[in-house]
Amino acid sequence: MGKERKVILSGNRPTGRLHIGHLFGVLGNWAQLQSEYDTYFEVADWHALTTRYQDTASMKKDIEDMVIDWLSAGISPEKSVIFVQSHIKEHAELHILFSMLVSLSRLLRNPTLKEYVAEKQTLKLKTEKKTLNKIAENITQKVFSEGEKREEVLKGKIKEHVLSELQGIFSQDTEIPYGEIVNYGFLGYPVLQAADILIYRAHVVPIGKDQLPHLELTREIARRFNFLYGEVFPIPEPVLNEFAKVPGTDGRKMSKSYNNTILIGEDTKDLKKKIMSAYTDPKKIKKNDPGHPDTCPIFHYHMIFNKENSDMIKEECIKGIRGCVQCKKEVFEKIDAFMEPYREKRYELEEKRELIWDIIKEGDKKAREKTKETMELVREKMKIDY
RNA sequence: AGGCCUGUAGCUCAAUUUGGAAGAGCACCGGACUCCAAAUCCGGCGGUUGGGGGUUCAAAUCCCUCCAGGCCUGCCA
C-alpha cells in the first residue's frame, strides 16, 4: 500500500434508469472524486425496501438499470468499488450494534422522518378540504333553510366562517399517524445509513443538503462508539454537492415522481416528444413576443447542451425574434447527439446483463474485505470477539 | 388472545345510517386554443366495490366466513 488515500462512501437507492439531473449532479461529481479518493459506491437496496417492501418484483432490474447509468457516466469499476448493500451482511451486523447507541426519541426527532410524515399528512388534508367545504355548505344550508331568507352574501360569509372554524379544529388534531406510514425499518433508516458509512471508515460523504441531519446522526454515533469502546471510526465530513439544478420538462425540479425527466441515453423518439411538449415561458404567447429565458427549461437545456450559442439564443428570445418551436428543435438536435454514446453503452450492456453482475461481484469482494476488517476491529473493541 | 375501525378507478376519497342505474377530485390520454408548451374549455380511458357464501325481485350497503391493514387492551417468555 502506498500513501493512504481518504475514503469516500456514497450511494443511491436503486430506482431504475437515471436522468440528466443525476448525470450533471451526483454522477459527474462521483466520476471526478474517483481519482483522488478511495471511492465506494453503494447500491442501497435495503434502503429502498424501507418504503418499497410491498413491491419488490422490479428491484433486480432497477439495480441493473441504475448501474448501467453509473457506468456510462464514467464510474469505473477499476477505480471504484461498486457493490450491492444487501450482499455485504456486515452492514446489517453493524446496524444492529449501532441501534443500541441511539435513543428512540433521537430517531423520532429526525427531520426527514417528520417531513415524510407531514407530506403524507398534508396530502390527506388537501383532499379533506373538499369534504370540509361540503360540511360547511350543509351547515349553512340548515341554518337558513327555516326562518327568514337572507341574502346570498351573508350566507357566503357565514359559510366562510364555518369553514375556517372547521379547518382550525381539524388542523389542531396534529397527532401523527406513524402507524400507517412508518415501519421499524424506516425509523432505523439513518442508523443503517450510519453503518453504511462508518463500516468503510469513510472520511468524506458527498451528500445533498437534505441529508445533513442524517450525517449528523452518523457523526454522533461514531463519537459515541469511539468514546464507549475506543477509537475505531473517523468522524466523517460532509461535502455538499451544489450544482445548478436541471429543471424537468415541466419547469419543476427534475424527478421521477413528477414524470418530467430526460433519461440518460433516452431514445430519439421519446426525447423528441419530451422536448417538443415541454413547458416554456407562459408569457410568450405569440412567436414574436419577448420571452423570459431564465424561467424556461428549454433555455436551461441550451445552456447545458448548446453552451456556445446560449448567449445569442438568450438575446434573440428576449428580443422576440426567436420562436419556441425553433428553439426546441435546435436543442433537441444537440441533446440527441449528446445522448448517442450513452445509448451505445446502454445497448451494449443491456444485451449482457450478466456483465453488470460480474462487475458487482468484483465490487462486493472488495467491499467485503474492508467491512470484515472493520467488524473484527469493532468486535474486538466492544469485547464481543469471542 | 380480546375489543374497535378500515378495505370502492393508478392516488385521495364519496355513496353504507335508510338496500333501488357505482361517482367526484387529482393523475393519464385525446381534441379545441397556442409558433410549441402552460393556463383555460370540451371529451375519453379507467371498477371482480379485498375473496367466497347467504338473505332479497334487487347488495358497495344487511348476515356469515376467510384474507389483508390499522388502533387499543392484554397474554406468554
Side-chain angles (χ1 to χ4, degrees):
Chain A
M1 293 257 177
K3 56 188 171 157
E4 284 287 309
R5 298 216 299 178
K6 285 196 169 180
V7 174
I8 279 192
L9 177 113
S10 200
N12 264 132
R13 309 210 263 175
T15 51
R17 290 184 65 171
L18 303 180
H19 53 69
I20 58 173
H22 295 116
L23 184 63
F24 294 105
V26 69
L27 292 181
N29 194 25
W30 287 5
Q32 285 188 349
L33 292 168
Q34 291 182 112
S35 46
E36 285 176 59
Y37 296 88
D38 278 347
T39 39
Y40 290 82
F41 297 121
E42 171 187 77
V43 176
D45 56 342
W46 277 341
H47 283 298
L49 282 176
T50 57
T51 51
R52 245 186 68 187
Y53 56 93
Q54 285 165 315
D55 170 32
T56 55
S58 62
M59 185 74 86
K60 189 178 175 200
K61 188 172 181 299
D62 287 341
I63 291 173
E64 291 167 355
D65 280 334
M66 185 172 81
V67 173
I68 287 175
D69 285 332
W70 285 8
L71 296 170
S72 18
I75 309 301
S76 150
E78 279 89 44
K79 293 183 188 164
S80 296
V81 178
I82 298 169
F83 68 97
V84 170
Q85 182 185 32
S86 67
H87 290 174
I88 316 295
K89 310 302 180 198
E90 283 79 5
H91 286 236
E93 185 184 353
L94 191 57
H95 174 220
I96 283 281
L97 296 177
F98 280 173
S99 71
M100 318 303 166
L101 306 182
V102 185
S103 73
L104 193 56
S105 62
R106 178 68 184 80
L107 291 178
L108 288 167
R109 238 186 297 134
N110 171 15
T112 312
L113 177 83
K114 283 184 166 177
E115 219 170 88
Y116 180 79
V117 174
E119 197 182 312
K120 297 267 174 186
Q121 190 86 316
T122 50
L123 203 81
K124 251 191 147 71
L125 276 175
K126 262 186 200 164
T127 54
E128 269 167 14
K129 197 178 170 186
K130 276 182 194 128
T131 316
L132 290 179
N133 201 44
K134 216 168 166 184
I135 294 170
E137 175 86 44
N138 285 345
I139 291 173
T140 319
Q141 208 65 259
K142 271 177 194 159
V143 170
F144 283 94
S145 60
E146 287 163 31
E148 71 279 70
K149 278 196 176 166
R150 301 275 173 160
E151 291 163 27
E152 289 300 310
V153 184
L154 184 56
K155 208 168 170 178
K157 273 199 170 167
I158 288 182
K159 187 184 155 187
E160 214 172 274
H161 280 292
V162 173
L163 184 60
S164 77
E165 285 292 321
L166 282 172
Q167 276 177 341
I169 291 163
F170 276 78
S171 61
Q172 264 175 25
D173 183 13
T174 50
E175 200 176 320
I176 301 173
Y178 283 116
E180 282 183 60
I181 300 169
V182 179
N183 56 35
Y184 176 47
F186 192 75
L187 191 66
Y189 190 117
V191 183
L192 179 58
Q193 204 177 344
D196 293 341
I197 293 165
L198 295 177
I199 205 164
Y200 297 95
R201 281 168 284 160
H203 305 94
V204 179
V205 185
I207 48 171
K209 217 165 89 190
D210 55 324
Q211 289 288 304
L212 270 178
H214 280 180
L215 190 73
E216 196 43 55
L217 181 66
T218 299
R219 290 159 58 88
E220 282 171 31
I221 289 172
R223 280 195 293 264
R224 188 154 166 75
F225 187 99
N226 289 347
F227 171 75
L228 284 173
Y229 307 113
E231 288 288 328
V232 174
F233 301 112
I235 310 300
E237 296 292 334
V239 173
L240 284 188
N241 30 26
E242 293 184 52
F243 2 79
K245 290 249 158 57
V246 182
T249 53
D250 61 356
R252 292 187 288 175
K253 180 183 147 214
M254 187 173 285
S255 159
K256 196 177 181 180
S257 57
Y258 288 155
N259 194 24
N260 65 358
T261 60
I262 293 171
L263 298 177
I264 298 171
E266 182 95 55
D267 51 69
T268 299
K269 208 180 98 217
D270 294 339
L271 180 65
K272 186 161 196 169
K273 197 177 169 191
K274 285 183 178 182
I275 293 296
M276 295 315 284
S277 64
Y279 174 86
T280 62
D281 178 11
K283 294 199 190 83
K284 187 172 163 70
I285 306 291
K286 294 266 182 271
K287 187 175 170 184
N288 293 320
D289 286 346
H292 305 77
D294 288 338
T295 57
C296 176
I298 294 297
F299 180 68
H300 271 87
Y301 300 157
H302 273 292
M303 287 202 292
I304 296 170
F305 298 99
N306 190 16
K307 196 157 180 43
E308 63 277 16
N309 295 319
S310 62
D311 286 341
M312 175 195 77
I313 288 165
K314 184 173 190 169
E315 205 186 317
E316 287 181 3
C317 179
I318 290 171
K319 277 187 182 163
I321 53 175
R322 160 173 283 265
C324 292
V325 172
Q326 179 198 354
C327 207
K328 283 177 169 180
K329 276 183 178 159
E330 284 173 17
V331 87
F332 158 72
E333 295 295 338
K334 293 284 182 182
I335 301 176
D336 192 42
F338 172 88
M339 288 299 183
E340 201 43 43
Y342 292 94
R343 285 188 199 117
E344 270 168 36
K345 185 81 181 170
R346 169 160 285 276
Y347 181 76
E348 174 197 327
L349 288 168
E350 268 179 346
E351 291 302 297
K352 299 185 238 171
R353 285 179 179 262
E354 68 279 2
L355 229 136
I356 308 282
W357 292 103
D358 288 345
I359 288 169
I360 288 171
K361 199 181 273 177
E362 278 303 303
D364 287 347
K365 216 172 108 188
K366 291 183 205 157
R368 209 168 285 125
E369 277 170 28
K370 182 85 180 186
T371 60
K372 280 216 156 105
E373 195 186 299
T374 302
M375 284 318 296
E376 269 167 35
L377 196 55
V378 162
R379 286 186 219 108
E380 186 197 316
K381 293 281 186 184
M382 286 183 79
K383 306 200 186 332
I384 54 170
D385 52 338
Y386 25 76

